[in-house]
């Protein structure tokens, strides 16, 4: 094989290797293995410092070099023969390379003495009429023995380049190739009759690299085969973003990419409000406990991913309207179930193929808790607080049922107090006051059961939420509520919420720092100080 001489690198720095490759049935070489390129790159990076005690032999390279194939015949002509000086032992023979120091056993060369650049040759020079030289950024120089007619049939890039040059041009260089390996693979595909089958052996990331090179070369049939591959192959993990990014770039250039993009977009789709409503209704009506619980978690997680959207965005408003419609439906069902459960002749047995009443109460309460969590994440639960605070009928029915049947309702009340205490809800003063008047005492009545029988109940968080909610009211309302709580706490002890911290804040506001009495003195002092500064 002929040598490759690259004028861009200094003489003596380029290591030229001729790689004989078997011709495939398509008439071209087998694609170089990526390991060849990777090993070459690794061998060029210094790994160890030179040992001063045993310096390596000094090699003088003459202009005339003997190809590797003339030194040693290949045992397997199909395998790429790329070797390096640190993998062989030199012997003093007259082959154009002379060593100044020839010990009995020459030590192996250090990795840092391997030449920085490498030239590799692919194809059969005897049957080709064109050479394409790829100059990579890492110092690679790859020579491809190809056929001019094949390039002209498949590549607009080569057609334009060859038309600009003389008709007898037999060598063409491509500078600064970012991905030499993909260039070689893409040119190889020009000789393949079944490109789709060739691409099936590749990964998605590698096909995207080939697609990029095919676009640069104007290799339209390869672009189409890559798109067909991407349309059919599954995308795993981050591959979806990479595929969409690459395909959208092609779309801007007028290439038909609709089949690929149909996986992520659709022109014919149900309105968002209808789709979301259908999904939520399916989850809320499910009677399978495990599936319902898992899907509630999944839907809540997916809705939280959209929290970055502004509150005035269409999908956000549609979702809120849908959730509130479902909340009202669940609340009506809950009131109906409570009425059935409190009837004298009521029995907790399945009727009409439905679950027992108490189990249905627990299910509807859990549904309301889930919908409240969605609204709280959307910062749109103020209306829910007003709707819940207005349920005097439900609060009255609540006291008529046993604790085991009703404590699920108190979980909803506790979640509202926690949301107000954390600032997730900002209901009006009248709403906060009504909420405490309607539901604080039922919550106190169920508190002992919630502490010991409800796994998701966080006592400290709930107590802090109740206390902060009380402290948002006017001072007179704080006093009336906290004094009523004090009577319950002195009777029940640990079976009642511990609101001592809120009680201490109210005490200091009332007896230690009476802001109302000193307000006039503070304003007078501030006015006098301002007047002095002006004088």
């Amino acid at each position: 094989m002929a040598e490759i001489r690259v004028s861009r690198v200094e003489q003596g720095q380029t290591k030229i290797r001729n790689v004989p490759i078997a011709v495939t049935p398509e008439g071209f070489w087998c694609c170089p293995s990526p390991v060849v390129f990777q090993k070459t790159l690794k061998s060029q990076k210094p790994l160890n410092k030179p040992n001063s005690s045993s310096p390596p032999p000094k090699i003088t390279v003459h202009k005339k070099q003997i190809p590797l194939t003339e030194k040693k015949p290949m045992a397997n002509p199909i395998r790429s023969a790329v070797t390096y000086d640190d993998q062989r032992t030199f012997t003093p023979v007259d082959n154009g390379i002379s060593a100044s120091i020839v010990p009995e056993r020459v030590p192996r060369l250090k990795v840092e003495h391997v030449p920085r650049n490498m030239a590799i040759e692919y194809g059969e020079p005897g049957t080709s009429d064109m050479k394409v030289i790829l100059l990579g950024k890492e110092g690679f120089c790859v020579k491809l023995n190809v056929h001019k007619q094949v390039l002209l049939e498949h590549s607009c890039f080569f057609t334009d380049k060859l038309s600009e040059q003389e008709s007898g041009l037999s060598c063409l260089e491509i500078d600064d190739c970012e991905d030499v390996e993909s260039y070689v693979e893409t040119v190889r595909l020009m000789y393949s009759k079944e490109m789709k089958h060739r691409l099936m052996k590749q990964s998605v990331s590698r096909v995207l690299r080939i697609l990029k090179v095919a676009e640069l070369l104007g290799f339209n049939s390869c672009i189409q085969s890559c798109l067909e591959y991407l349309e059919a192959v599954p995308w795993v993990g981050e591959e979806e973003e990479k595929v969409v990014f690459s395909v959208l770039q092609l779309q801007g250039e007028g290439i038909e990419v609709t089949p690929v993009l149909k996986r992520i977009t659709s022109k014919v789709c149900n309105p968002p409000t209808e789709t979301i409503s259908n999904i939520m209704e399916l989850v809320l009506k499910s009677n399978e406990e495990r599936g319902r619980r898992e899907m509630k978690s999944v839907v809540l997680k997916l809705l939280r991913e959209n929290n970055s959207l502004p509150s005035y965005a269409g999908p956000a408003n549609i979702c809120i309207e849908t959730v509130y419609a479902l909340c009202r439906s669940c609340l009506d069902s809950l009131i109906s179930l409570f009425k059935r459960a409190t009837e004298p002749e009521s029995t907790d047995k399945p009727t009409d193929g439905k679950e027992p009443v108490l189990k249905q109460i627990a299910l509807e309460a859990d549904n309301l808790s889930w919908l409240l969590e969605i609204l709280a994440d959307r910062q749109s639960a103020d209306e829910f607080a007003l709707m819940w605070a207005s349920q005097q009928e439900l609060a009255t029915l609540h006291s008529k049922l046993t604790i085991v049947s009703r404590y699920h309702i108190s979980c909803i009340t506790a979640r509202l107090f926690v949301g107000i205490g954390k600032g997730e809800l900002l209901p009006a003063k009248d709403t906060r006051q009504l909420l405490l008047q309607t539901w604080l005492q039922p919550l106190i009545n169920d508190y002992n059961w919630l502490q010991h029988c409800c796994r998701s109940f966080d006592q400290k968080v709930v107590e802090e939420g109740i206390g902060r909610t009380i402290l948002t009211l006017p001072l007179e309302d704080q006093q009336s509520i906290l004094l009523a709580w004090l009577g319950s706490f002195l009777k029940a002890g640990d079976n009642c919420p511990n609101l001592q911290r809120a009680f201490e804040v109210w005490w200091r506001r009332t007896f230690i720092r009476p802001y109302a009495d000193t307000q006039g003195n503070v304003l007078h002092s501030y006015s006098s100080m301002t007047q002095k500064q002006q004088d």
Side-chain angles (χ1 to χ4, degrees), residues 106-127:
V106 179
R108 298 170 63 184
L109 288 176
K110 299 292 183 179
V111 176
E112 59 265 29
H113 295 289
V114 175
R116 290 176 307 210
N117 302 91
M118 177 64 64
I120 309 175
E121 180 175 346
Y122 293 99
E124 294 292 341
T127 60

Side-chain angles (χ1 to χ4, degrees), residues 331-358:
L331 189 56
D332 292 341
S333 176
L334 193 61
I335 294 174
S336 176
L337 291 170
F338 263 68
K339 289 179 179 180
R340 287 177 52 191
T342 54
E343 292 176 357
E345 65 277 4
S346 175
T347 57
D348 190 30
K349 295 182 179 180
T351 57
D352 300 331
K354 296 183 179 180
E355 297 288 343
V357 176
L358 298 184

Side-chain angles (χ1 to χ4, degrees), residues 187-310:
V187 174
R188 184 191 74 87
L189 289 174
M190 295 182 184
Y191 288 80
S192 177
K193 296 180 181 179
E194 296 291 340
M195 279 187 284
K196 185 177 180 180
H197 293 167
R198 295 285 184 180
L199 293 174
M200 288 175 63
K201 301 178 181 179
Q202 311 297 340
S203 63
V204 171
S205 59
R206 185 167 172 84
V207 170
L208 289 176
R209 289 160 53 193
I210 294 173
L211 177 62
K212 182 178 180 181
V213 176
E215 177 190 357
L216 295 175
L217 298 182
F219 189 2
N220 295 329
S221 58
C222 181
I223 294 175
Q224 186 61 35
S225 296
C226 290
L227 292 175
E228 292 176 359
Y229 167 89
L230 296 173
E231 189 275 333
V233 72
W235 306 334
V236 181
E238 298 179 354
E239 290 179 349
E240 179 170 333
E241 295 182 2
K242 296 178 181 179
V243 170
V244 173
F245 177 78
S246 301
V247 170
L248 288 177
Q249 286 185 323
L250 292 175
Q251 186 181 29
E253 299 180 4
I255 300 175
E256 179 60 37
V257 296
T258 303
V260 180
L261 295 180
K262 278 187 176 180
R263 189 180 297 189
I264 59 171
T265 59
S266 176
K267 295 181 179 180
V268 180
C269 183
N270 294 330
T273 178
E274 182 181 347
T275 304
I276 295 176
S277 177
N278 290 339
I279 293 173
M280 289 186 171
E281 285 179 1
L282 288 173
V283 175
L284 294 175
K285 293 179 180 180
S286 173
N287 293 324
E288 207 287 315
E289 183 178 355
R290 179 178 178 181
R292 182 180 67 251
R293 183 176 63 252
E294 291 184 358
M295 287 311 301
K296 282 182 177 179
S297 177
V298 170
V299 173
L300 182 61
K301 179 187 69 173
L302 295 175
L303 290 175
R304 281 174 175 170
E305 293 180 0
N306 296 334
N307 284 346
S308 58
L309 293 175

Side-chain angles (χ1 to χ4, degrees), residues 134-152:
L134 306 175
L135 303 177
K137 290 186 177 181
E138 296 87 0
F140 272 121
C141 174
V142 178
K143 183 172 68 173
L144 308 177
N145 295 293
V146 295
H147 303 82
K148 185 181 298 184
Q149 186 61 32
V150 175
L151 300 182
L152 293 175

